[in-house]
Amino acid sequence: MTSPGICAYGTPCATFPPRRIVCLTEETVETLYLLGEQDRIVGVSGYAVRPPQVRREKPRVSAFVSADIPKILALGPDLVLAFSDLQAGIVADLVRAGIDVHVFNQRDVAGILAMIRTLGALVGAAKRAEELAQGLERRLAAIAATPRPSPRPRVYFEEWDDPLISGIGWVSELIEIAGGTDIFPELRHQQAAKDRIVAAEAVREAAPEIILASWCGKKVVSARIRAREGWSDIPAVRDDRIVEIRSPIILQPGPAALTDGLDAIVTALWDKRR
């Protein structure tokens, strides 16, 4: 008798729906839990923190651009879920080892919703995935339709501090859904972070009224933002409206960004008690 997903000669067997899934980024982990398909997950990214129980339930097998390939292979996955060209090296190693891999590349809100639907189809839960996606769509529409005072506040989102990186696609869209105006909307179509580097002078000239920051896994230090040369005259700095949004709820292109991440943006823009 062989274990599920493992052929008699020790290599993964193709099954549908896949029974043993490794997730190399957090958003597919959260989506599978939301679909009630978490029992299929046998390994996760070290950055997976949603839902909280994943930290104690699932073995960690990767960082973001590196992975423990022998550990992944030892889990006998019949499917590995990856994200973007940044994980191309990991994917190549897994493909050479004969593992089935699906690489998502969602960069905007529509892409996140498509990822949910596609993942549902991959695990035989298309109906539940459609219900989840439609529920998120209704939520986004309701928030976008909420009456807000005019004019829309100008918002600068900082994904990294050295160099300054902004304009990540889904965050730019969520700022607009929340009732703000992204000061660098043209950057949302740039996939690579190196193509979304902005000059400090450009931020000063745009004069954002709110600064949202999430420094990709490290704590945002507002004092360093305030201390930048010439930034004391920026309305957001002058009025002390610099808000950190935790990386797990905004920099993962999945359900977290469309729920807790969007809620955090709404609060930052419209809660005058901040």
Side-chain angles (χ1 to χ4, degrees):
M1 197 98 178
T2 59
S3 58
I6 306 298
C7 293
Y9 43 87
T11 58
C13 290
T15 62
F16 183 82
R19 290 176 288 184
R20 301 180 63 80
I21 299 175
V22 168
C23 301
L24 300 182
T25 54
E26 183 179 49
E27 62 275 2
T28 50
V29 173
E30 182 176 18
T31 300
L32 286 170
Y33 270 88
L34 288 172
L35 295 176
E37 298 292 338
Q38 64 270 18
D39 288 348
R40 300 182 187 277
I41 303 173
V42 295
V44 299
S45 160
Y47 293 106
V49 296
R50 293 173 63 93
Q53 62 264 36
V54 72
R55 298 176 70 89
R56 62 179 181 272
E57 290 180 350
K58 307 296 180 181
R60 293 169 181 267
V61 298
S62 69
F64 188 63
V65 295
S66 64
D68 188 333
I69 300 298
K71 188 172 184 179
I72 292 173
L73 297 179
L75 292 170
D78 43 26
L79 179 65
V80 173
L81 301 173
F83 173 73
S84 87
D85 58 304
L86 295 174
Q87 295 190 327
I90 303 172
V91 169
D93 288 342
L94 292 170
V95 170
R96 281 192 285 265
I99 302 297
D100 286 349
V101 181
H102 185 96
V103 183
F104 288 102
N105 207 21
Q106 69 275 16
R107 304 285 181 162
D108 53 22
V109 171
I112 294 172
L113 294 168
M115 177 275 292
I116 291 169
R117 291 179 165 107
T118 300
L119 183 51
L122 285 172
V123 299
K127 184 176 184 295
R128 275 172 283 149
E130 182 62 30
E131 291 170 352
L132 175 59
Q134 287 185 5
L136 291 169
E137 286 173 330
R138 288 191 296 270
R139 187 177 195 277
L140 294 173
I143 292 173
T146 301
R148 308 286 187 192
S150 294
R152 287 172 167 250
R154 299 183 305 278
V155 182
Y156 165 58
F157 176 74
E158 186 168 288
E159 179 188 349
W160 194 246
D161 63 324
D162 186 20
L164 303 183
I165 298 176
S166 187
I168 195 165
W170 64 90
V171 179
S172 180
E173 289 181 274
L174 292 176
I175 288 169
E176 292 187 353
I177 290 170
T181 297
D182 180 6
I183 63 170
F184 297 122
E186 69 281 0
L187 296 181
R188 73 175 60 168
H189 304 296
Q190 300 298 325
Q191 177 171 307
K194 66 181 178 61
D195 296 326
R196 292 184 280 104
I197 295 173
V198 299
E201 178 62 29
V203 180
R204 290 197 299 267
E205 291 177 356
E209 296 159 294
I210 300 165
I211 293 175
L212 306 178
S214 185
W215 289 352
C216 200
K218 69 178 182 180
K219 182 172 178 55
V220 171
V221 182
S222 298
R224 283 168 49 186
I225 295 176
R226 290 192 294 270
R228 291 172 186 164
E229 184 178 355
W231 279 41
S232 59
D233 292 331
I234 293 176
V237 176
R238 184 188 63 222
D239 300 336
D240 196 25
R241 299 195 70 184
I242 302 171
V243 181
E244 178 178 15
I245 299 181
R246 294 182 299 107
S247 297
I249 67 170
I250 198 63
L251 293 183
Q252 302 282 0
L258 305 188
T259 53
D260 292 352
L262 177 55
D263 289 348
I265 295 174
V266 170
T267 297
L269 268 57
W270 302 111
D271 188 346
K272 299 303 184 183
R273 296 169 297 174
R274 296 194 66 85

